[in-house]
Amino acid sequence: MKYLILLFVFTFQFSQAQILSERERAILKDNLLEDRFTNLLPQLMDAADIDMWLLISREYNEDPVLKTMLPATWLNARRRTIIVFYRDKAKNTLERLAVARYDIGKNIKSAWDKEKEPDQWKALSEIIKNRNPNKIGVNISKYFALADGLVKTDYDELLENLPKSYVNKVVSAEKLAIGWIETRTAKEMKLYKELGQITHNIIADTFSSKTIIPGKTTTEDLVWCLRQKVTDLGLETWFHPTIDIQRNNEVLKSHIESFSKGKEKKIILKGDLLHCDFGITYIGLNTDCQQHAYVLKDNENSVPTFLVDAFKKGNRVQDILTSNMKVGKTGNQILKESLIQGRKEGLVPSIYTHPLGMFGHSAGTTIGMWDSQNGVPVNGDYPLHKNTVYAIELNTTVALKEWGKNIRIMLEEAGFFGNNIFEYVNSRQTEIIPIKIK
């Protein structure tokens, strides 16, 4: 293991130049946020038919949506933080106000003078009365956790302090909250492409002879190698990665075992088909990626043809799924159509694609779950919207006569759905990575 660590220190330098310093990241994050407030949020509020949106959080217990609106220098809310967005569609204006002692960065201005009005709730009530909104959206949702960030205490206090004539105007902002979380801007997509490339680079460097010594290196070694690479680059993972092995003398694991995060540690051998599940976080965006690699035997110079052909079937399932993604279709419709088409082509697919972006398992259109292949209630009925990103996550089971068993090709890649056009954020894996041991 010491050898592996030393080898890593001296060899893993390739992608550091792509990653911004902390100060540069802060500047970019705040610029992206200003662009979202100015150019995206008015559209989302109009689409949701909500002219006032309240976000209320206390320090260290933040609403997930509010957390995405904080500037780079605010790592958490401060005391009780209240944000008010007021949209006047007729005048085409959007006010961004903080019922707080401080401006929230450069994007949201303080609208509370505590010395003049010590009661924060009364200050909020005055702001509401002065603008007289038709609908007051708050983040409450039964089925979408990320849109359910208003805690009961703050909800109760809001209703207790609102003038009675406004209580009936309080509505769920579920659609607006999901829209904010799931929608990507053009500027964000430029960053996303870079993040995708960094993710691929880390995987490629891990699936190589630089880090793998057959007969010595374990899957657990590679897991911690991934974690260390991410830490050394000043990045973060949003979930603990996994590495697993399929080989010719072992029976294919069940779905339940395959999807368990508690993977058994194994020593990597020549002739193993390796698989990783790995994702990173950078400037408010997340990746989620699964790729395969093969450790070449001494007499092999390339990945065996039967594995190459099996992998193509995994790519084919991806193509079927993404071709069925159309604006307005629900996740359950897309899932059903894709599974039917795949089976007609003789494939054995399983699809469990989820929204990706500000959160790893984000809010938006859910296209199957690994244990819900007949559809996902409620979340699977949410329609597909444009300018959204998904982890195109799926597998297909392939019978290998050469190994006398089935294997599972498991793939996952960030994909962007634009104006009825799908594209991978930063390409996808189309060939198994060959690992040649020197």
Side-chain angles (χ1 to χ4, degrees):
M1 188 61 186
K2 289 182 179 178
Y3 172 78
L4 287 177
I5 293 173
L6 287 172
L7 188 60
F8 160 71
V9 170
F10 287 109
T11 60
F12 188 61
Q13 303 292 333
F14 66 92
S15 63
Q16 289 184 351
Q18 304 174 47
I19 298 171
L20 299 176
S21 69
E22 286 290 342
R23 177 176 286 188
E24 290 170 328
R25 291 186 213 186
I27 293 170
L28 178 55
K29 178 179 179 180
D30 290 347
N31 286 342
L32 292 174
L33 194 54
E34 170 61 28
D35 178 53
R36 289 178 64 82
F37 284 141
T38 302
N39 300 311
L40 176 61
L41 186 53
Q43 299 175 31
L44 296 176
M45 292 185 72
D46 292 347
D49 191 27
I50 289 176
D51 55 341
M52 180 172 283
W53 192 14
L54 301 184
L55 295 100
I56 307 170
S57 287
R58 282 172 289 165
E59 200 166 0
Y60 308 125
N61 190 30
E62 290 82 8
D63 177 332
V65 178
L66 182 143
K67 188 87 169 175
T68 69
M69 296 175 170
L70 299 179
T73 54
W74 278 48
L75 304 185
N76 300 93
R78 295 180 181 175
R79 300 177 185 176
R80 177 181 274 114
T81 296
I82 301 176
I83 299 175
V84 180
F85 296 108
Y86 176 64
R87 169 68 172 160
D88 189 326
K89 190 175 180 181
K91 296 180 180 178
N92 194 25
T93 58
L94 176 66
E95 286 186 276
R96 304 175 231 160
L97 308 172
V99 189
R101 283 175 88 64
Y102 323 95
D103 292 342
I104 301 179
K106 296 179 180 179
N107 294 319
I108 303 174
K109 298 300 181 182
S110 172
W112 179 33
D113 186 339
K114 190 174 181 180
E115 278 62 47
K116 290 183 178 179
E117 174 51 78
D119 190 314
Q120 189 178 21
W121 292 110
K122 287 184 178 179
L124 172 63
S125 294
E126 284 301 312
I127 289 173
I128 293 171
K129 285 190 291 184
N130 289 339
R131 286 153 184 82
N132 192 27
N134 295 312
K135 291 183 181 179
I136 303 171
V138 295
N139 291 348
I140 52 176
S141 173
K142 183 176 181 179
Y143 296 104
F144 292 87
L146 293 174
D148 190 39
L150 181 62
V151 301
K152 186 177 187 303
T153 299
D154 286 333
Y155 179 70
D156 289 345
E157 290 202 42
L158 171 65
L159 296 187
E160 288 171 9
N161 286 278
L162 269 182
K164 290 184 179 180
S165 60
Y166 288 95
V167 171
N168 290 334
K169 293 186 176 185
V170 175
V171 300
S172 169
E174 178 184 271
K175 181 179 179 181
L176 176 54
I178 294 172
W180 172 264
I181 292 170
E182 74 170 345
T183 308
R184 302 277 67 79
T185 65
K187 290 183 177 181
E188 286 176 318
M189 289 313 301
K190 291 181 180 179
L191 171 62
Y192 228 144
K193 289 182 183 294
E194 295 176 11
L195 180 55
Q197 186 60 60
I198 293 168
T199 304
H200 292 162
N201 288 349
I202 294 172
I203 292 173
D205 200 67
T206 301
F207 278 157
S208 73
S209 60
K210 295 187 230 178
T211 54
I212 295 174
I213 303 173
K216 293 184 178 181
T217 307
T218 68
T219 52
E220 189 73 358
D221 290 336
L222 291 192
V223 165
W224 287 106
C225 188
L226 285 168
R227 288 289 300 269
Q228 192 63 51
K229 291 175 191 290
V230 171
T231 298
D232 289 349
L233 288 169
L235 302 173
E236 296 178 350
T237 55
W238 62 272
F239 66 96
H240 188 59
T242 58
I243 301 283
D244 55 88
I245 296 172
Q246 296 180 85
R247 52 174 58 131
N248 64 355
N249 60 352
E250 295 181 1
V251 177
L252 180 65
K253 296 177 182 179
S254 69
H255 259 69
I256 293 176
E257 188 176 358
S258 292
F259 286 92
S260 168
K261 289 299 181 183
K263 304 292 185 184
E264 177 188 357
K265 180 174 73 173
K266 286 187 175 182
I267 295 175
I268 297 170
L269 304 173
K270 293 179 181 180
D272 282 347
L273 179 64
L274 306 180
H275 164 262
C276 72
D277 190 353
F278 172 66
I280 58 178
T281 302
Y282 182 52
I283 315 182
L285 296 175
N286 295 273
T287 58
D288 201 355
C289 189
Q290 295 182 45
Q291 294 194 350
H292 285 279
Y294 176 77
V295 186
L296 298 176
K297 296 178 180 179
D298 292 336
N299 62 343
E300 294 175 327
N301 292 312
S302 60
V303 177
T305 302
F306 61 88
L307 289 177
V308 171
D309 293 340
F311 193 85
K312 289 179 181 177
K313 293 182 178 181
N315 283 155
R316 178 56 190 153
V317 177
Q318 288 177 317
D319 292 339
I320 291 170
L321 168 62
T322 57
S323 69
N324 284 315
M325 295 174 72
K326 304 293 181 185
V327 169
K329 280 188 181 181
T330 68
N332 288 335
Q333 288 176 311
I334 297 167
L335 173 68
K336 183 177 181 180
E337 292 172 3
S338 300
L339 291 177
I340 289 173
Q341 185 177 344
R343 290 164 184 161
K344 283 183 178 179
E345 294 186 17
L347 301 168
V348 186
S350 179
I351 296 171
Y352 31 95
T353 286
H354 59 83
L356 184 67
M358 293 177 170
F359 299 89
H361 291 160
S362 199
T365 309
T366 300
I367 308 174
M369 301 180 87
W370 68 267
D371 55 354
S372 299
Q373 289 297 284
N374 292 320
V376 180
V378 183
N379 300 67
D381 294 320
Y382 185 84
L384 187 70
H385 291 78
K386 66 179 183 178
N387 298 326
T388 49
V389 171
Y390 302 87
I392 304 300
E393 186 178 9
L394 47 78
N395 75 63
T396 187
T397 301
V398 182
L400 294 184
K401 65 178 181 179
E402 292 82 358
W403 282 5
K405 58 170 283 188
N406 290 337
I407 67 165
R408 198 172 283 126
I409 299 297
M410 298 167 279
L411 298 173
E412 187 170 18
E413 194 63 63
F416 174 70
F417 184 76
N419 191 17
N420 266 337
I421 297 174
F422 175 87
E423 62 181 316
Y424 287 98
V425 170
N426 190 282
S427 72
R428 63 169 174 174
Q429 186 181 21
T430 56
E431 296 179 348
I432 296 172
I433 299 171
I435 303 174
K436 180 71 172 177
I437 305 302
K438 299 176 184 177

